[in-house]
Amino acid sequence: MPVGLLAEAVVGGDPIRIRAVEEPLQWLSLAIARRLGQVAGDMGEVGLDFGLDSGGRIWFIEQNAQPGRAVFEHLRRSDLSALAHLRPVQYARFLAAGKQPGAVSTQST
């Protein structure tokens, strides 16, 4: 699930609260993915599970070899479901073109 959507699902529609959760989630996600890449090699995609406690602290729960995509259907977000299936194909094309994984942009489109 994209970090912004996760933040909104967790804290509701308050933009200030979304930003307070979104930024650390993005930072943690990238830091964990980089560390996993160092330890296990480039994985292409991973699923990261986080929790948020009543005090607003973010907890990293686990890493999965692939992200779950069914959540988008439950949320009735076919646009995100399509994107979640497209991204691995785009990454494969990126690698097939001889580009290096470290060159991947962290911005979402």
Side-chain angles (χ1 to χ4, degrees), residues 1-2 45 66-73 77-91 109:
M1 177 179 290
E45 65 178 345
Q66 289 187 329
R69 292 182 176 91
V71 67
F72 301 117
E73 297 305 322
R77 291 295 306 264
S78 60
D79 58 325
L80 293 176
S81 178
L83 188 60
H85 288 87
L86 177 64
R87 288 293 191 227
V89 174
Q90 289 175 324
Y91 185 65
T109 53

Side-chain angles (χ1 to χ4, degrees), residues 6-82:
L6 174 62
E8 185 176 345
V10 170
V11 299
D14 180 358
I16 293 170
R17 292 185 67 206
I18 289 171
R19 189 148 182 98
V21 173
E22 184 176 35
E23 288 180 8
L25 274 174
Q26 181 139 8
W27 184 88
L28 281 169
S29 297
L30 291 172
I32 291 167
R34 285 186 185 113
R35 183 64 182 139
L36 285 169
Q38 291 170 347
V39 173
D42 293 319
M43 300 175 78
E45 65 178 345
V46 296
L48 303 176
D49 294 346
F50 293 96
L52 186 67
D53 68 20
S54 59
R57 291 178 298 254
I58 298 169
W59 296 83
F60 173 60
I61 299 170
E62 67 177 342
Q63 174 266 325
N64 299 292
Q66 289 187 329
R69 292 182 176 91
V71 67
F72 301 117
E73 297 305 322
H74 293 294
L75 293 171
R76 296 190 174 121
R77 291 295 306 264
S78 60
D79 58 325
L80 293 176
S81 178

